[in-house]
Amino acid sequence: MPRRVTLADVAQQAGVSRTTASFVLSGRNDMRISKEAQSRVLVAARELSYRPNLTARGLRTSVTHTVGFLSDSVATTQFAGEMIRGSLEAATAREHLLFIAETGGDPEVEARVVDGMLDRQVDGVVYATMSHRQVKPAASLAGRRVVLLNCNAAGFDAPFVVPDERAAGRAVAQAVLDAGHRANVHVIGGHEYTDRTPDGAIAGHSRMRGIMDAFGDCSLRPASVFQCGWEPEHGYQAVSSLLSRSPRPTALICCNDRLALGAYQALHQAGLVIPDDVSVVSFDDSPLAAWMRPALASAALPHYEMGRKAVELVLATTPASDRPHLVPMEFEVRPSLAGPAPRP
């Protein structure tokens, strides 16, 4: 490999001391250095293609211009990977590099990765999860500059960036109500409203609370809340069961796009047309939503914006307060939602 150009090389070519070259290249203006000497140093640095040794500088200043991005499985998930893209762009805009590591949810791996990042003196750590849930970060992160992304941790002093699930639930339900649906709206995959939010169910409970907020404002309730898993087969089974009853639903609020896919299959199998017979709305706005036919109205998870916000907070001059930073979920209006069909 070619020898790296050093500060001493720049100083020698410019005919100044190493200290003078260092002051000029670091932007110090509190020293009495002639304009002519400053110019020679800058020209020499440019001609030699000098790049500062950031590792050495980091040892002196404790600033390495690096950020650790630690996740369970975000890097290998196409949908949630938008969090990495947002984080990368925010880091690049601030002249930082992003060190990305994944643990697969293994606490032992996490502890080793965290130690590696801290040994390299990262300026901060973004601790991310693929799904919105409660976490318990490695003990060595306590007291460090950390921002939690798409998760929160009880008793851990760090800001957290999460989607505004409750507001999204209200927006989705309000869109259904505004379309004229009232008596036969069913929620697929929701959980009955409760103030107790168990681990792993934050998104479902928050979305359900928002849905109930919107219905409550109109002194209404959903016709039913079908509690189930969040995969297509669960949506198919739930909607098939609903269609065996009377009266038939006029609208379905599915708690994620995978459930909506299963709901589409059950409705099509029953010979029903979306949205002429039954409207369907959802959450997440995954790539799946726009490809479904008709395209699915869905509240988008703002993964890119969340990733960008997390890096902005972890690099902020003044550390962010220990509180949630809620990122709005925009409701994408698509043809799966229409007014209720007239009853025969």
Coordinates of all heavy atoms in Angstrom, one line a residue, residues 40-135:
R40 N 0.7 28.7 2.0 CA 1.6 27.7 1.6 C 1.2 26.3 2.2 O 1.3 25.3 1.5 CB 3.0 28.0 2.1 CG 3.7 29.2 1.4 CD 5.2 29.1 1.5 NE 5.7 28.8 2.8 CZ 5.9 29.8 3.8 NH1 5.7 31.1 3.5 NH2 6.4 29.4 4.9
V41 N 0.7 26.3 3.4 CA 0.2 25.1 4.0 C -1.0 24.5 3.3 O -1.0 23.3 3.0 CB -0.1 25.3 5.5 CG1 -0.8 24.1 6.1 CG2 1.1 25.6 6.3
L42 N -1.9 25.3 2.9 CA -3.1 24.8 2.2 C -2.8 24.3 0.8 O -3.3 23.3 0.4 CB -4.1 25.9 2.1 CG -4.7 26.4 3.5 CD1 -5.6 27.6 3.3 CD2 -5.5 25.3 4.2
V43 N -1.9 25.0 0.1 CA -1.4 24.5 -1.2 C -0.7 23.2 -1.1 O -1.0 22.3 -1.9 CB -0.5 25.6 -1.9 CG1 0.1 25.0 -3.1 CG2 -1.4 26.8 -2.2
A44 N 0.2 23.1 -0.1 CA 0.9 21.8 0.1 C 0.0 20.7 0.4 O 0.1 19.6 -0.1 CB 1.9 22.0 1.2
A45 N -1.0 20.9 1.3 CA -2.0 19.9 1.6 C -2.7 19.4 0.4 O -3.0 18.2 0.2 CB -2.9 20.4 2.7
R46 N -3.1 20.4 -0.5 CA -3.9 20.0 -1.6 C -3.0 19.3 -2.6 O -3.4 18.3 -3.2 CB -4.4 21.3 -2.3 CG -5.3 21.0 -3.5 CD -6.1 22.3 -3.9 NE -5.2 23.4 -4.2 CZ -5.0 24.5 -3.5 NH1 -5.6 24.6 -2.3 NH2 -4.2 25.4 -3.9
E47 N -1.8 19.7 -2.8 CA -0.9 19.0 -3.8 C -0.5 17.6 -3.4 O -0.4 16.7 -4.2 CB 0.4 19.9 -4.0 CG 0.2 21.2 -4.7 CD 1.4 22.0 -4.8 OE1 2.4 21.7 -4.1 OE2 1.5 23.0 -5.6
L48 N -0.4 17.4 -2.1 CA 0.0 16.1 -1.5 C -1.3 15.2 -1.3 O -1.1 14.0 -0.9 CB 0.7 16.2 -0.2 CG 2.1 16.9 -0.4 CD1 2.7 17.2 1.0 CD2 3.1 16.1 -1.2
S49 N -2.5 15.7 -1.5 CA -3.7 15.0 -1.2 C -3.8 14.5 0.2 O -4.1 13.4 0.6 CB -3.9 13.8 -2.2 OG -3.9 14.2 -3.5
Y50 N -3.4 15.5 1.1 CA -3.3 15.1 2.5 C -4.7 14.9 3.1 O -5.7 15.7 2.8 CB -2.6 16.3 3.3 CG -2.8 16.1 4.8 CD1 -2.0 15.2 5.5 CD2 -3.6 17.0 5.5 CE1 -2.1 15.1 6.9 CE2 -3.8 16.8 6.9 CZ -3.0 15.9 7.6 OH -3.1 15.8 8.9
R51 N -4.9 13.9 3.9 CA -6.1 13.6 4.6 C -5.7 13.4 6.1 O -4.8 12.7 6.4 CB -6.8 12.4 4.1 CG -7.5 12.6 2.8 CD -7.9 11.2 2.1 NE -8.6 10.4 3.0 CZ -8.2 9.1 3.4 NH1 -7.1 8.6 2.8 NH2 -8.9 8.4 4.2
P52 N -6.4 14.1 7.0 CA -6.1 14.0 8.4 C -6.3 12.5 8.9 O -7.2 11.8 8.5 CB -7.0 14.9 9.1 CG -8.2 15.1 8.2 CD -7.6 15.0 6.8
N53 N -5.5 12.1 9.9 CA -5.6 10.8 10.5 C -6.7 11.0 11.6 O -6.5 11.4 12.7 CB -4.3 10.4 11.1 CG -4.3 9.0 11.7 OD1 -5.4 8.5 12.2 ND2 -3.2 8.3 11.5
L54 N -7.9 10.5 11.3 CA -9.0 10.7 12.2 C -8.9 9.8 13.4 O -9.4 10.2 14.5 CB -10.4 10.4 11.5 CG -10.7 11.3 10.3 CD1 -12.0 10.9 9.7 CD2 -10.8 12.7 10.8
T55 N -8.2 8.7 13.3 CA -8.0 7.8 14.5 C -7.2 8.6 15.5 O -7.5 8.6 16.7 CB -7.4 6.5 14.1 OG1 -8.2 5.9 13.1 CG2 -7.2 5.6 15.3
A56 N -6.1 9.1 15.0 CA -5.2 9.9 15.9 C -5.9 11.1 16.5 O -5.8 11.4 17.7 CB -3.9 10.3 15.2
R57 N -6.7 11.8 15.7 CA -7.4 13.0 16.1 C -8.4 12.5 17.2 O -8.6 13.2 18.2 CB -8.1 13.7 15.0 CG -8.9 14.9 15.4 CD -9.6 15.5 14.2 NE -8.6 16.1 13.3 CZ -9.0 16.7 12.1 NH1 -10.3 16.8 11.8 NH2 -8.1 17.2 11.4
G58 N -9.1 11.4 17.0 CA -10.1 10.9 17.9 C -9.5 10.6 19.3 O -10.1 10.9 20.3
L59 N -8.3 10.1 19.3 CA -7.6 9.8 20.6 C -7.3 11.1 21.3 O -7.4 11.1 22.6 CB -6.3 9.1 20.3 CG -6.4 7.6 19.8 CD1 -5.1 7.0 19.4 CD2 -7.1 6.7 20.8
R60 N -7.1 12.2 20.6 CA -6.8 13.5 21.3 C -8.0 14.2 21.7 O -8.1 14.8 22.8 CB -6.0 14.4 20.3 CG -4.6 13.9 19.9 CD -3.8 15.0 19.3 NE -4.5 15.6 18.2 CZ -4.4 15.2 16.9 NH1 -3.6 14.1 16.7 NH2 -5.0 15.8 15.9
T61 N -9.1 14.1 20.9 CA -10.3 14.9 21.1 C -11.5 14.1 21.6 O -12.5 14.7 22.1 CB -10.7 15.6 19.8 OG1 -11.1 14.6 18.9 CG2 -9.6 16.4 19.2
S62 N -11.4 12.8 21.6 CA -12.5 11.9 22.0 C -13.7 12.1 21.1 O -14.9 11.8 21.4 CB -13.0 12.2 23.4 OG -11.9 11.8 24.3
V63 N -13.5 12.6 19.9 CA -14.5 12.8 18.8 C -14.0 12.0 17.6 O -13.0 12.3 17.0 CB -14.8 14.2 18.5 CG1 -15.8 14.3 17.3 CG2 -15.3 15.0 19.7
T64 N -14.8 11.0 17.2 CA -14.3 10.1 16.1 C -15.1 10.2 14.8 O -14.8 9.6 13.8 CB -14.4 8.6 16.6 OG1 -15.7 8.3 16.9 CG2 -13.5 8.4 17.8
H65 N -16.2 11.0 14.9 CA -17.1 11.2 13.7 C -17.6 9.9 13.2 O -17.7 9.6 12.0 CB -16.3 11.9 12.6 CG -16.1 13.4 12.9 ND1 -15.1 13.9 13.6 CD2 -16.9 14.5 12.6 CE1 -15.1 15.2 13.7 NE2 -16.3 15.6 13.1
T66 N -18.0 9.0 14.2 CA -18.6 7.7 13.9 C -19.8 7.6 14.8 O -19.8 8.1 15.9 CB -17.6 6.6 14.1 OG1 -17.2 6.6 15.4 CG2 -16.4 6.7 13.2
V67 N -20.8 6.9 14.2 CA -22.0 6.5 15.0 C -22.2 5.0 14.9 O -22.2 4.5 13.8 CB -23.2 7.3 14.5 CG1 -24.5 6.8 15.2 CG2 -23.1 8.8 14.7
G68 N -22.5 4.4 16.0 CA -22.9 2.9 15.9 C -24.4 2.8 15.7 O -25.2 3.5 16.3
F69 N -24.7 1.9 14.8 CA -26.1 1.6 14.5 C -26.3 0.1 14.9 O -25.8 -0.8 14.1 CB -26.5 1.8 13.1 CG -28.0 1.6 12.8 CD1 -28.9 2.7 12.7 CD2 -28.5 0.4 12.6 CE1 -30.2 2.5 12.4 CE2 -29.9 0.2 12.3 CZ -30.7 1.3 12.2
L70 N -26.9 -0.2 16.0 CA -27.1 -1.6 16.5 C -28.5 -2.0 16.4 O -29.4 -1.3 16.9 CB -26.6 -1.6 17.9 CG -26.8 -2.9 18.7 CD1 -25.9 -4.0 18.1 CD2 -26.5 -2.7 20.2
S71 N -28.8 -3.2 15.8 CA -30.2 -3.6 15.6 C -30.3 -5.1 15.8 O -29.3 -5.8 15.8 CB -30.7 -3.2 14.3 OG -30.3 -4.1 13.3
D72 N -31.5 -5.6 16.0 CA -31.7 -7.0 16.1 C -31.7 -7.6 14.7 O -31.0 -8.6 14.4 CB -33.0 -7.3 16.8 CG -34.2 -6.5 16.3 OD1 -34.1 -5.8 15.3 OD2 -35.3 -6.7 16.9
S73 N -32.5 -7.1 13.8 CA -32.6 -7.6 12.4 C -33.0 -6.6 11.3 O -33.5 -6.9 10.3 CB -33.6 -8.8 12.4 OG -34.8 -8.4 12.8
V74 N -32.8 -5.3 11.6 CA -33.2 -4.3 10.7 C -32.4 -4.4 9.4 O -33.0 -4.2 8.3 CB -33.0 -2.9 11.3 CG1 -33.2 -1.8 10.3 CG2 -34.0 -2.7 12.5
A75 N -31.1 -4.6 9.5 CA -30.3 -4.6 8.3 C -30.7 -5.7 7.2 O -30.5 -5.5 6.0 CB -28.8 -4.8 8.6
T76 N -31.3 -6.8 7.7 CA -31.7 -7.9 6.8 C -33.1 -7.9 6.5 O -33.7 -8.8 5.9 CB -31.3 -9.2 7.4 OG1 -31.8 -9.4 8.7 CG2 -29.8 -9.4 7.4
T77 N -33.8 -6.8 6.8 CA -35.3 -6.7 6.5 C -35.5 -5.5 5.6 O -35.2 -4.4 5.9 CB -36.0 -6.4 7.8 OG1 -35.7 -7.4 8.8 CG2 -37.5 -6.4 7.6
Q78 N -36.0 -5.8 4.4 CA -36.1 -4.8 3.3 C -37.0 -3.6 3.8 O -36.6 -2.5 3.5 CB -36.7 -5.4 2.1 CG -36.8 -4.4 0.9 CD -37.5 -5.1 -0.3 OE1 -37.8 -6.3 -0.3 NE2 -37.5 -4.4 -1.4
F79 N -38.1 -3.9 4.4 CA -39.0 -2.9 4.8 C -38.4 -1.9 5.8 O -38.3 -0.7 5.7 CB -40.3 -3.5 5.3 CG -41.5 -2.5 5.5 CD1 -41.6 -1.4 4.8 CD2 -42.4 -2.8 6.5 CE1 -42.7 -0.5 5.0 CE2 -43.4 -2.0 6.8 CZ -43.6 -0.8 6.0
A80 N -38.0 -2.5 7.0 CA -37.5 -1.7 8.0 C -36.1 -1.2 7.7 O -35.6 -0.2 8.4 CB -37.4 -2.6 9.3
G81 N -35.5 -1.7 6.6 CA -34.2 -1.2 6.2 C -34.2 0.3 5.9 O -33.1 0.9 5.8
E82 N -35.3 0.9 5.6 CA -35.4 2.3 5.4 C -34.9 3.1 6.6 O -34.4 4.2 6.4 CB -36.8 2.7 5.1 CG -37.3 2.4 3.6 CD -36.5 3.3 2.6 OE1 -36.7 4.5 2.6 OE2 -35.7 2.8 1.9
M83 N -34.9 2.5 7.8 CA -34.4 3.2 8.9 C -32.9 3.4 8.8 O -32.3 4.4 9.2 CB -34.7 2.4 10.2 CG -36.1 2.5 10.7 SD -36.4 1.8 12.3 CE -36.4 0.1 12.0
I84 N -32.2 2.4 8.2 CA -30.8 2.5 7.9 C -30.5 3.6 6.9 O -29.6 4.4 7.0 CB -30.2 1.2 7.5 CG1 -30.3 0.2 8.7 CG2 -28.8 1.3 7.0 CD1 -29.7 -1.2 8.3
R85 N -31.3 3.6 5.8 CA -31.1 4.6 4.8 C -31.2 6.0 5.4 O -30.4 6.9 5.1 CB -32.1 4.5 3.7 CG -31.8 5.4 2.5 CD -32.6 5.0 1.2 NE -34.0 5.4 1.4 CZ -34.5 6.6 1.0 NH1 -33.7 7.5 0.5 NH2 -35.8 6.8 1.1
G86 N -32.2 6.3 6.2 CA -32.4 7.6 6.8 C -31.2 7.9 7.8 O -30.7 9.0 7.8
S87 N -30.8 6.9 8.5 CA -29.7 7.1 9.4 C -28.4 7.4 8.7 O -27.6 8.3 9.0 CB -29.5 5.9 10.3 OG -30.6 5.6 11.1
L88 N -28.1 6.7 7.6 CA -26.9 6.9 6.8 C -26.9 8.3 6.2 O -25.9 9.0 6.2 CB -26.9 5.9 5.6 CG -26.4 4.5 5.9 CD1 -26.7 3.5 4.8 CD2 -24.9 4.5 6.2
E89 N -28.0 8.8 5.7 CA -28.1 10.1 5.0 C -27.9 11.2 6.1 O -27.2 12.2 5.8 CB -29.4 10.3 4.3 CG -29.4 9.4 3.0 CD -30.6 9.7 2.1 OE1 -31.2 10.8 2.3 OE2 -30.8 9.0 1.1
A90 N -28.4 11.0 7.3 CA -28.3 12.0 8.3 C -26.8 12.0 8.8 O -26.2 13.1 9.1 CB -29.2 11.7 9.5
A91 N -26.2 10.8 8.9 CA -24.8 10.8 9.4 C -23.9 11.4 8.3 O -23.0 12.2 8.6 CB -24.4 9.3 9.6
T92 N -24.1 11.1 7.0 CA -23.3 11.6 6.0 C -23.4 13.1 5.9 O -22.4 13.8 5.7 CB -23.7 11.0 4.6 OG1 -23.5 9.6 4.7 CG2 -22.8 11.6 3.5
A93 N -24.6 13.7 6.1 CA -24.8 15.1 6.1 C -24.0 15.8 7.2 O -23.7 17.0 7.1 CB -26.3 15.4 6.2
R94 N -23.7 15.0 8.3 CA -23.0 15.6 9.4 C -21.5 15.1 9.4 O -20.8 15.2 10.4 CB -23.7 15.2 10.7 CG -25.0 16.0 10.9 CD -26.0 15.3 11.8 NE -27.2 16.1 11.8 CZ -28.1 16.2 10.9 NH1 -28.0 15.5 9.8 NH2 -29.2 16.9 11.0
E95 N -21.1 14.6 8.3 CA -19.7 14.1 8.1 C -19.3 13.1 9.1 O -18.2 13.1 9.7 CB -18.7 15.3 8.1 CG -18.9 16.3 7.0 CD -17.9 17.4 7.0 OE1 -17.2 17.6 8.0 OE2 -17.8 18.1 6.0
H96 N -20.2 12.1 9.3 CA -20.0 11.0 10.2 C -20.1 9.7 9.4 O -20.9 9.6 8.4 CB -21.0 11.0 11.4 CG -20.6 11.8 12.5 ND1 -20.6 13.2 12.4 CD2 -20.3 11.5 13.8 CE1 -20.2 13.7 13.6 NE2 -20.0 12.7 14.4
L97 N -19.4 8.7 9.8 CA -19.6 7.3 9.3 C -20.5 6.5 10.2 O -20.5 6.7 11.4 CB -18.3 6.6 9.2 CG -17.3 7.1 8.2 CD1 -16.0 6.3 8.2 CD2 -17.8 7.1 6.8
L98 N -21.3 5.6 9.6 CA -22.2 4.8 10.4 C -21.7 3.4 10.4 O -21.5 2.7 9.4 CB -23.6 4.8 9.7 CG -24.8 4.4 10.6 CD1 -25.1 5.4 11.7 CD2 -26.1 4.2 9.7
F99 N -21.4 2.9 11.7 CA -21.0 1.5 11.8 C -22.3 0.7 12.1 O -23.0 0.9 13.1 CB -20.1 1.3 13.0 CG -18.7 1.9 12.8 CD1 -17.9 2.2 13.9 CD2 -18.2 2.1 11.5 CE1 -16.6 2.7 13.7 CE2 -16.9 2.6 11.3 CZ -16.1 2.9 12.4
I100 N -22.6 -0.3 11.2 CA -23.9 -1.0 11.3 C -23.5 -2.4 11.8 O -22.7 -3.1 11.2 CB -24.6 -1.1 10.0 CG1 -24.9 0.4 9.5 CG2 -25.9 -1.9 10.1 CD1 -25.4 0.4 8.1
A101 N -24.2 -2.9 12.8 CA -24.1 -4.2 13.3 C -25.4 -4.8 13.7 O -26.3 -4.1 14.1 CB -23.2 -4.2 14.6
E102 N -25.5 -6.1 13.5 CA -26.8 -6.8 13.8 C -26.6 -8.0 14.8 O -25.6 -8.7 14.7 CB -27.4 -7.3 12.5 CG -28.9 -7.6 12.6 CD -29.5 -7.7 11.2 OE1 -29.9 -6.6 10.7 OE2 -29.6 -8.8 10.6
T103 N -27.5 -8.2 15.7 CA -27.3 -9.2 16.7 C -28.2 -10.4 16.6 O -28.0 -11.4 17.3 CB -27.6 -8.5 18.1 OG1 -29.0 -8.2 18.2 CG2 -26.7 -7.2 18.3
G104 N -29.3 -10.3 15.8 CA -30.2 -11.4 15.7 C -31.0 -11.6 17.0 O -31.6 -12.6 17.2
G105 N -31.0 -10.5 17.9 CA -31.7 -10.6 19.1 C -31.0 -11.4 20.2 O -31.6 -11.7 21.3
D106 N -29.7 -11.7 20.0 CA -28.9 -12.5 20.9 C -28.3 -11.6 21.9 O -27.4 -10.8 21.5 CB -27.9 -13.4 20.2 CG -27.2 -14.3 21.1 OD1 -26.9 -14.0 22.3 OD2 -26.8 -15.4 20.7
P107 N -28.6 -11.6 23.2 CA -28.0 -10.7 24.2 C -26.5 -10.8 24.3 O -25.8 -9.8 24.5 CB -28.7 -11.1 25.5 CG -29.9 -11.8 25.2 CD -29.6 -12.5 23.9
E108 N -25.9 -12.0 24.2 CA -24.5 -12.2 24.2 C -23.8 -11.5 23.1 O -22.8 -10.9 23.2 CB -24.1 -13.7 24.3 CG -24.6 -14.4 25.6 CD -24.1 -15.8 25.7 OE1 -23.4 -16.3 24.8 OE2 -24.5 -16.5 26.7
V109 N -24.4 -11.7 21.9 CA -23.8 -11.0 20.7 C -23.9 -9.5 20.9 O -23.0 -8.8 20.5 CB -24.6 -11.5 19.4 CG1 -24.1 -10.7 18.2 CG2 -24.3 -13.0 19.2
E110 N -25.1 -9.1 21.4 CA -25.2 -7.6 21.6 C -24.2 -7.1 22.5 O -23.6 -6.0 22.2 CB -26.6 -7.4 22.1 CG -26.9 -5.9 22.4 CD -28.3 -5.6 22.9 OE1 -29.3 -6.2 22.4 OE2 -28.4 -4.9 23.9
A111 N -23.9 -7.7 23.6 CA -22.9 -7.3 24.5 C -21.5 -7.1 23.9 O -20.8 -6.1 24.1 CB -22.9 -8.2 25.8
R112 N -21.2 -8.1 23.1 CA -19.9 -8.1 22.4 C -19.8 -7.0 21.4 O -18.8 -6.2 21.3 CB -19.5 -9.4 21.7 CG -19.3 -10.6 22.7 CD -18.6 -11.7 22.0 NE -19.3 -12.2 20.8 CZ -20.2 -13.2 20.9 NH1 -20.6 -13.7 22.1 NH2 -20.8 -13.6 19.8
V113 N -20.9 -6.8 20.6 CA -20.9 -5.7 19.6 C -20.9 -4.4 20.2 O -20.1 -3.5 19.8 CB -22.2 -5.9 18.7 CG1 -22.4 -4.6 17.8 CG2 -22.1 -7.1 17.9
V114 N -21.6 -4.2 21.3 CA -21.6 -2.9 22.0 C -20.2 -2.6 22.5 O -19.7 -1.5 22.4 CB -22.6 -2.9 23.2 CG1 -22.4 -1.7 24.1 CG2 -24.0 -2.8 22.6
D115 N -19.5 -3.6 23.1 CA -18.2 -3.4 23.6 C -17.2 -3.0 22.5 O -16.4 -2.1 22.6 CB -17.6 -4.6 24.3 CG -18.3 -4.9 25.7 OD1 -18.9 -3.9 26.2 OD2 -18.2 -6.0 26.2
G116 N -17.4 -3.6 21.3 CA -16.6 -3.3 20.2 C -16.8 -1.8 19.7 O -15.8 -1.1 19.4
M117 N -18.1 -1.4 19.7 CA -18.3 0.0 19.3 C -17.8 1.0 20.3 O -17.2 2.0 19.9 CB -19.9 0.2 19.2 CG -20.5 -0.5 18.0 SD -22.2 -0.2 17.8 CE -22.6 -0.9 16.2
L118 N -17.9 0.7 21.6 CA -17.4 1.6 22.6 C -15.9 1.6 22.6 O -15.3 2.7 22.8 CB -17.9 1.2 24.0 CG -19.5 1.3 24.2 CD1 -19.9 0.8 25.6 CD2 -20.0 2.7 23.9
D119 N -15.2 0.5 22.3 CA -13.8 0.4 22.2 C -13.3 1.3 21.1 O -12.2 1.9 21.2 CB -13.3 -1.0 22.0 CG -13.5 -1.9 23.2 OD1 -13.7 -1.3 24.3 OD2 -13.4 -3.1 23.1
R120 N -14.1 1.5 20.1 CA -13.8 2.3 18.9 C -14.2 3.8 19.1 O -14.1 4.6 18.2 CB -14.3 1.7 17.6 CG -13.6 0.5 17.2 CD -14.4 -0.4 16.2 NE -13.6 -1.5 15.7 CZ -13.5 -2.6 16.4 NH1 -14.0 -2.8 17.6 NH2 -12.7 -3.6 16.0
Q121 N -14.7 4.1 20.3 CA -15.1 5.4 20.7 C -16.1 6.1 19.8 O -15.9 7.2 19.4 CB -13.8 6.3 20.8 CG -12.9 5.9 21.9 CD -11.7 6.8 22.0 OE1 -11.0 7.1 21.1 NE2 -11.5 7.3 23.2
V122 N -17.1 5.3 19.4 CA -18.2 5.9 18.6 C -18.7 7.1 19.3 O -18.8 7.1 20.6 CB -19.3 4.9 18.2 CG1 -18.8 3.9 17.3 CG2 -19.9 4.3 19.5
D123 N -19.2 8.1 18.6 CA -19.7 9.4 19.3 C -21.1 9.1 19.8 O -21.6 9.9 20.6 CB -19.7 10.5 18.2 CG -18.3 10.9 17.8 OD1 -17.4 10.6 18.5 OD2 -18.2 11.4 16.7
G124 N -21.8 8.1 19.4 CA -23.1 7.8 19.9 C -23.6 6.5 19.3 O -23.0 5.9 18.4
V125 N -24.6 5.9 19.9 CA -25.2 4.7 19.4 C -26.7 4.8 19.2 O -27.4 5.3 20.0 CB -24.9 3.5 20.5 CG1 -25.7 2.3 20.0 CG2 -23.4 3.3 20.6
V126 N -27.1 4.4 18.0 CA -28.5 4.2 17.7 C -28.9 2.8 17.9 O -28.3 1.9 17.3 CB -28.9 4.7 16.3 CG1 -30.3 4.4 16.0 CG2 -28.6 6.2 16.1
Y127 N -29.8 2.5 18.9 CA -30.2 1.2 19.2 C -31.6 0.9 18.6 O -32.6 1.5 19.0 CB -30.3 1.0 20.7 CG -30.5 -0.4 21.3 CD1 -29.5 -1.1 21.8 CD2 -31.8 -0.9 21.2 CE1 -29.7 -2.4 22.3 CE2 -32.0 -2.2 21.7 CZ -31.0 -2.9 22.3 OH -31.2 -4.2 22.8
A128 N -31.6 0.1 17.6 CA -32.9 -0.1 16.8 C -33.4 -1.5 16.8 O -32.7 -2.5 17.0 CB -32.6 0.3 15.3
T129 N -34.7 -1.6 16.6 CA -35.4 -2.9 16.5 C -36.3 -2.8 15.2 O -36.8 -1.8 14.8 CB -36.3 -3.2 17.7 OG1 -37.2 -2.1 17.9 CG2 -35.4 -3.3 18.9
M130 N -36.5 -4.0 14.7 CA -37.4 -4.1 13.5 C -38.8 -3.8 13.8 O -39.5 -3.1 13.0 CB -37.3 -5.5 12.9 CG -38.0 -5.7 11.6 SD -38.0 -7.4 11.0 CE -39.3 -8.1 12.1
S131 N -39.3 -4.3 14.9 CA -40.7 -4.0 15.3 C -40.8 -3.1 16.6 O -39.9 -3.2 17.4 CB -41.5 -5.3 15.5 OG -40.9 -6.1 16.5
H132 N -41.8 -2.3 16.7 CA -42.0 -1.4 17.8 C -42.2 -2.3 19.1 O -43.3 -2.9 19.2 CB -43.2 -0.5 17.6 CG -43.3 0.6 18.6 ND1 -44.3 1.5 18.5 CD2 -42.6 0.9 19.7 CE1 -44.3 2.3 19.5 NE2 -43.2 2.0 20.2
R133 N -41.3 -2.3 20.0 CA -41.4 -3.1 21.2 C -40.5 -2.6 22.4 O -39.7 -1.6 22.2 CB -41.0 -4.5 20.9 CG -39.6 -4.7 20.5 CD -39.3 -6.1 20.1 NE -37.9 -6.4 19.6 CZ -36.9 -6.6 20.4 NH1 -37.1 -6.7 21.7 NH2 -35.7 -6.8 19.9
Q134 N -40.7 -3.2 23.5 CA -39.9 -2.9 24.7 C -38.6 -3.6 24.6 O -38.6 -4.8 24.1 CB -40.6 -3.3 26.0 CG -41.8 -2.4 26.3 CD -41.4 -1.2 27.2 OE1 -40.3 -1.1 27.6 NE2 -42.4 -0.3 27.5
V135 N -37.5 -3.0 25.0 CA -36.2 -3.7 25.0 C -35.4 -3.5 26.3 O -35.8 -2.7 27.1 CB -35.3 -3.1 23.8 CG1 -35.9 -3.4 22.5 CG2 -35.1 -1.6 24.0

